[in-house]
Amino acid sequence: MDAKDPLAAKRAEFYLPENTIYLDGNSLGPMTHAAKDRVNAVMTQQWGDDLITSWNKHQWIDLPEIVGEKIAPIIGAGPGQVICCDSVSINLFKVISAALSLNPSRHKVLSQNDNFPTDLYMTQGLENLLGREKCQLVTTKEEDILDSLDESIAVLMLTQVNFRTGRIHDIQSITEKAHQLGILVIWDLAHSAGAIPVKVDEWGVDFAVGCGYKYFNGGPGAPAFVYVAEKHLAALEQPLSGWMGHASPFEFSPDYEKPPSIKQFLCGTPGVVSMSVLDASLDLFTDINIEMIREKSLALTDLFIELVNQEESLNQLEIITPLEHDERGSQIAYCHDDAYAICQALIAEGVIADFRAPNILRFGFSPLFLRYADIEKSVELLIDVVSEKRYDSEQFRSRKAVT
Amino acid sequence: MDAKDPLAAKRAEFYLPENTIYLDGNSLGPMTHAAKDRVNAVMTQQWGDDLITSWNKHQWIDLPEIVGEKIAPIIGAGPGQVICCDSVSINLFKVISAALSLNPSRHKVLSQNDNFPTDLYMTQGLENLLGREKCQLVTTKEEDILDSLDESIAVLMLTQVNFRTGRIHDIQSITEKAHQLGILVIWDLAHSAGAIPVKVDEWGVDFAVGCGYKYFNGGPGAPAFVYVAEKHLAALEQPLSGWMGHASPFEFSPDYEKPPSIKQFLCGTPGVVSMSVLDASLDLFTDINIEMIREKSLALTDLFIELVNQEESLNQLEIITPLEHDERGSQIAYCHDDAYAICQALIAEGVIADFRAPNILRFGFSPLFLRYADIEKSVELLIDVVSEKRYDSEQFRSRKAVT
């Protein structure tokens, strides 16, 4: 399978430590050689030698748009609608506010009760600030979302891939149903952009946000992105109106003036070093397409599931990721009472997975650097860890700050 | 003077291009060798080799607090009150909202009409979002600030050093007067932290924000910081309640729960690469104190002003920076009709200054790397540029995006 893999050559673009199988690229993508080279250039030639003049000379000032335009085709966005800035959380606050500004006769924001927490927290922050008569978070179970849509809802905010279970939402059909009821939609692509095909323009998505440090391999805490459908840019208002999002920032005028473009979603000065890392890593996507990535992702997850299923000693691992291709993201999650300790023991064996409270063992499958042979080897090690109870020690059971 | 300079050895800690006198450290501090070394370590050993485990292994998760605690003594803050995160603009939104939440019977935010624009823009953003009955920006001229304070004002938001003129506000006396009238104060230290002594605790400052990429030499777009007086941490509310600012982020609970600490001002995932650069550069401050820096800053600016005054050909340059020491920041600004072209011509001669619209030529004096000899040389070149009208060409008059 590796011999026939059309993405096989991409692995050489990554720096990957020896004796490690990295099944956590869905949480933090690994370093690319291009990122390393770029950081050296940004530090030495740009910041070091050219100092402040680099804002023009090395286009630092255009970096948020340059990076946005690289992300755009990967999520099916035409030009002028994606910009790189801030964090997913901050960008959520911008788009929730913006969506509410476009739907002023309503005030409810519907989401899923097990959405990634920051999506809920940012909405709660806006709710506390504005009062419930202006912004009210309403949550429902995943299976009740479509039935919960009605004409009292202003905004539907969902995450394409559930961070725990890996289940995919059908953006197109949900967006269509929401629009029929006059509801604007925000899609959080944090756990899918770069791994799952998305067609934000074609599917009529109003707003989307997503992450730079997962499948885009932009480095720890890489800046995020925000997509806004062009038709909304003129009428919306978003409150984080910082100087970099002004129509003419270097006129230093006392009154905020909104630019007509996606630049209105910029706020403060962009983090040039971090954003440059992301910019460099994104070049890995230029000569491939997201369908190729998706095809390999499904083959990798199919193989992993099949190998786990074949092994009787692993039958205590209860899969909570859907088996159907069109419902499965690029990650697989199993429940197990000892999920935390198993995860730590696997890391000690060189297989990096992650744990999500309270009892989820999560494996991410990033197709640009993983080989099918890695899947086979990682399941072998998982079998060793579980069947021999190698995880059953204080060393692996004691909790760390971040897992 | 250089021979007697107690900070002279600090210059060797910086990478400075040859044949360049950098009078723009107030806008973007130059690269430190420590920053370069740290980036290499973060890229290769941390991100590259240790991947996701670095959140624990290399304390990425604690970086915002670690950096905050390094900044704290430089601005006179005791522990547990400063954290590094996001941009100055975003942090302004947090503290304006927080200050209003503590003063709910009032709604006016008073500022200076020529404050740095983002301070005004972020307040305008909040005003648009909440409505003027909940948040109203009121601005006044610098000289009218004290007279404009009254019991209708909820929050006074000022910048310690005026970014155009370099004039310093007396934080202590203004804060005292504001407090007598029940007004909470926000001080923006973007143009002063790391250059001007500040004693936020002793002076009873309620909130402060500041910049990582100017006198702290944290690299282009380095993350910013926020200070909140400990007494306010329990009662305040701030709306950018992202998952990293949750009391227990890795429990992934659906409801935001505010931690009792300054960590409530975190929002999304911190930009580890950029924040590491700042962390490394801040170590330059460990064996010196801000009074030493201030003493040299005043000596540098005194010398520059004196040398310019001595030269008749420079008498078209109209100084707008106060001559009194206690009113002068670490920058000097001159008005001139051809300020833009003069600035560009100076850059061509190797003296990097900057221009601020409409007609300001601005020189910044960062005491950790500048020598008195640099001041002498830069004024000589300024004399050449102005007396010989070297700036009077299309090359220097045509405007670039960022200046």
Side-chain angles (χ1 to χ4, degrees), chain A residues 64-80:
Chain A
E65 287 171 287
I66 291 169
V67 175
E69 294 302 348
K70 285 188 184 176
I71 292 169
I74 306 173
I75 62 166

Side-chain angles (χ1 to χ4, degrees), chain B residues 36-54:
Chain B
K36 181 85 195 295
D37 294 343
R38 179 68 170 275
V39 157
N40 284 335
V42 170
M43 295 293 285
T44 308
Q45 284 91 54
Q46 298 184 13
W47 183 21
D49 282 327
D50 293 325
L51 291 158
I52 192 79
T53 65
S54 294

Side-chain angles (χ1 to χ4, degrees), chain A residues 352-386:
Chain A
I352 303 184
D354 70 15
F355 165 80
R356 284 294 172 257
N359 65 344
I360 295 171
L361 178 60
R362 195 175 69 157
F363 300 94
F365 298 84
S366 207
L368 294 185
F369 61 87
L370 283 177
R371 296 167 300 198
Y372 295 95
D374 296 325
I375 305 307
E376 202 169 356
K377 179 76 181 164
S378 62
V379 177
E380 282 169 16
L381 288 165
L382 177 63
I383 292 168
D384 291 348
V385 162
V386 173

Side-chain angles (χ1 to χ4, degrees), chain A residues 15 29 31 36 39 43-44 47 49 56 118 121 124 164 213 220-221 241 243 252-254 256 269-270 272 274 402, chain B residues 15 29 31 36 39 43-44 47 49 56 118 121 124 164 213 220-221 241 243 252-254 256 269-270 272 274 402:
Chain A
Y15 173 87
M31 187 173 75
K36 180 84 196 293
V39 157
M43 295 293 287
T44 308
W47 182 21
D49 281 328
N56 285 311
T118 216
Y121 300 165
Q124 287 164 2
R164 290 187 184 89
Y213 56 79
S241 48
W243 76 299
F252 299 101
S253 74
Y256 178 72
T269 307
V272 170
S274 286
V402 187
Chain B
Y15 173 86
M31 187 172 74
K36 181 85 195 295
V39 157
M43 295 293 285
T44 308
W47 183 21
D49 282 327
N56 285 310
T118 217
Y121 301 165
Q124 288 164 1
R164 290 186 185 88
Y213 57 79
S241 47
W243 75 300
F252 298 101
S253 73
Y256 178 72
T269 307
V272 171
S274 287
V402 188

Side-chain angles (χ1 to χ4, degrees), chain A residues 93 96-97 100 107-110 119-139, chain B residues 129-130 134 237-241 255-256:
Chain A
F93 193 84
I96 299 164
S97 304
L100 286 171
H107 64 278
K108 287 185 192 164
V109 178
L110 179 69
D119 299 62
L120 305 177
Y121 300 165
M122 296 310 291
T123 314
Q124 287 164 2
L126 189 61
E127 180 181 276
N128 287 342
L129 183 68
L130 292 178
R132 283 209 178 161
E133 68 288 357
K134 295 274 185 63
C135 173
Q136 183 184 359
L137 175 65
V138 183
T139 59
Chain B
L129 183 68
L130 292 178
K134 294 274 186 64
E237 295 193 346
Q238 75 87 4
L240 301 181
S241 47
D255 293 307
Y256 178 72

Side-chain angles (χ1 to χ4, degrees), chain A residues 282-299:
Chain A
L282 279 167
D283 287 341
L284 265 74
F285 288 80
T286 48
D287 59 350
I288 54 174
N289 62 53
I290 193 74
E291 285 74 20
M292 294 163 72
I293 293 172
R294 175 63 171 162
E295 191 177 342
K296 182 172 173 187
S297 162
L298 286 170

Side-chain angles (χ1 to χ4, degrees), chain A residues 288-329:
Chain A
I288 54 174
N289 62 53
I290 193 74
E291 285 74 20
M292 294 163 72
I293 293 172
R294 175 63 171 162
E295 191 177 342
K296 182 172 173 187
S297 162
L298 286 170
L300 291 168
T301 49
D302 276 347
L303 179 61
F304 193 93
I305 292 169
E306 186 189 331
L307 293 173
V308 169
N309 279 348
Q310 285 171 5
E311 177 61 32
E312 204 173 328
S313 68
L314 296 181
N315 65 12
Q316 289 174 329
L317 291 172
E318 180 200 349
I319 191 163
I320 57 170
T321 301
L323 298 178
E324 296 76 11
H325 277 185
D326 60 357
E327 293 181 14
R328 187 200 308 159

